[in-house]
Amino acid sequence: MNKKLVVSLSPHTYGKDSVTRIMYDVLIALVPAFLVSIYMFGFGALRVTLIAIFSSVLFEYLIQKFMLKVKPTINDGSAIITGLLLAFNVPSNLPWWMIIVGSFVAIGIAKMSFGGLGNNPFNPALVGRVFLFVSFPVAMTSWPVPIVTRFKLIDAVTSATPLSIVKEGLKNNIAASELASKLPSYADLFFGNLGGCIGEVSALALLLGGIYLIYRKVISWHIPVAMIGAVALFSGILWGLNPEKYMDPMFQILTGGVFLGAIFMATDMVTSPMTPKGMIIFGILIGLITVVIRVFGAYPEGVSFAILIMNAFVPLIDKFCKPQKYGVVKVKNG
């Protein structure tokens, strides 16, 4: 009995995963969308991204250092991710001070006021984005024309997004078939040749990032497939009922922030369900709410609102989908 038994708290084994590795994998996955944003919107996209990342990291450092009195954790990459995703959710000509305000709301209110990474119930970048959207609606819906404005900054020429064109046209009783001539082709929608937030325009770039994250096992397929499938299904039902009043499913999934939200926002580990069954329910309901807001709501886009609404239901979904404990047998009454 020369060997001593060591008793310690869990975890008793360690894997390769760490917060830092996961965060930098997400950064790598966002590179294709970032490169497309630079190609489409030029200096404006670079300016927005640098300001959002720098201000997010700075706010997290200052709050942890001087308010919470804890060791700053800015090296884990989470603040960089928040800043980058916030930048991806705004237009490239947004004034610099609005970006800083959005970063403060995302880091200071949505993340650090709940205790920091792992404790926030809502996606910080989306909270910052929605705050900017309801506070500065004109600036947040002034979309620079891609490519032709990439060497201009604040005074860039702006245009409507496909979703805005459709929303306004259908409100004025213009048939969907007539609106088709004013919209980008499916190829432009897929590759990203359209106005919009800098990180959401290219479905192809976001899809490449999603494949990388699934390959690296940072995310699973459940939420992206359930959400995109739900948007296609529910918009397809409406389109089947009246194709002159509702847009087709392909248009709905390729426009707005469906791919960005499904792959990079709804899959946030902290604010999404833990089980595959819960993830599928979560993704389906986000897709349903997105279609409802787009078709029947006042706003042309609904992905951000849908994800934040479903963030609030995550504890309930986890409780409903909680797996049965190993070895426990359910007792039948009577």
Side-chain angles (χ1 to χ4, degrees), residues 144-319:
V145 178
I147 298 179
V148 298
T149 60
R150 57 186 165 183
F151 296 115
K152 301 177 182 179
L153 291 175
I154 304 299
D155 58 345
V157 179
T158 60
S159 66
T161 64
L163 286 173
S164 300
I165 294 172
V166 169
K167 192 73 175 180
E168 192 64 24
L170 293 178
K171 189 171 73 174
N172 293 320
N173 296 318
I174 301 175
S177 58
E178 295 181 42
L179 293 171
S181 61
K182 302 177 182 178
L183 299 173
S185 65
Y186 286 149
D188 285 338
L189 294 177
F190 185 68
F191 291 108
N193 187 18
L194 68 155
C197 297
I198 66 171
E200 68 181 23
V201 293
S202 175
L204 173 62
L206 295 166
L207 191 59
L208 291 174
I211 293 171
Y212 174 79
L213 291 180
I214 292 175
Y215 171 74
R216 295 282 290 168
K217 302 186 186 307
V218 174
I219 66 172
S220 68
W221 60 267
H222 301 86
I223 292 176
V225 171
M227 179 179 161
I228 296 171
V231 171
L233 175 64
F234 295 122
S235 61
I237 292 173
L238 294 173
W239 180 63
L241 292 174
N242 190 345
E244 291 298 333
K245 188 176 180 182
Y246 305 106
M247 299 305 293
D248 62 81
M250 187 62 74
F251 174 83
Q252 293 287 3
I253 65 173
L254 291 178
T255 52
V258 172
F259 274 78
L260 178 63
I263 296 171
F264 292 98
M265 314 296 280
T267 54
D268 176 20
M269 291 181 177
V270 180
T271 58
S272 62
M274 294 183 289
T275 63
K277 180 181 177 183
M279 291 177 185
I280 291 175
I281 295 172
F282 182 72
I284 290 174
L285 291 177
I286 291 174
L288 173 61
I289 296 171
T290 298
V291 174
V292 169
I293 293 175
R294 281 185 175 185
V295 175
F296 303 106
Y299 298 114
E301 175 60 298
V303 171
S304 299
F305 293 106
I307 294 175
L308 289 178
I309 290 171
M310 288 310 303
N311 283 162
F313 285 92
V314 167
L316 189 63
I317 294 174
D318 279 337
K319 184 176 182 180

Side-chain angles (χ1 to χ4, degrees), residues 8 10 12 31 41 75 94 110-111 116 122 143 172 190 214 218 223 242 260-262 266 282 289:
S8 63
S10 62
H12 302 295
V31 167
F41 303 109
N75 291 332
L94 195 69
K111 184 179 179 183
F122 301 98
W143 316 105
N172 293 320
F190 185 68
I214 292 175
V218 174
I223 292 176
N242 190 345
L260 178 63
F282 182 72
I289 296 171

Side-chain angles (χ1 to χ4, degrees), residues 25-39 84 88 191 198-199 201-210 212 264:
D25 265 341
V26 176
L27 279 176
I28 293 172
L30 286 168
V31 167
F34 175 67
L35 294 177
V36 171
S37 75
I38 296 296
Y39 177 75
L84 186 54
F88 276 22
F191 291 108
I198 66 171
V201 293
S202 175
L204 173 62
L206 295 166
L207 191 59
L208 291 174
Y212 174 79
F264 292 98

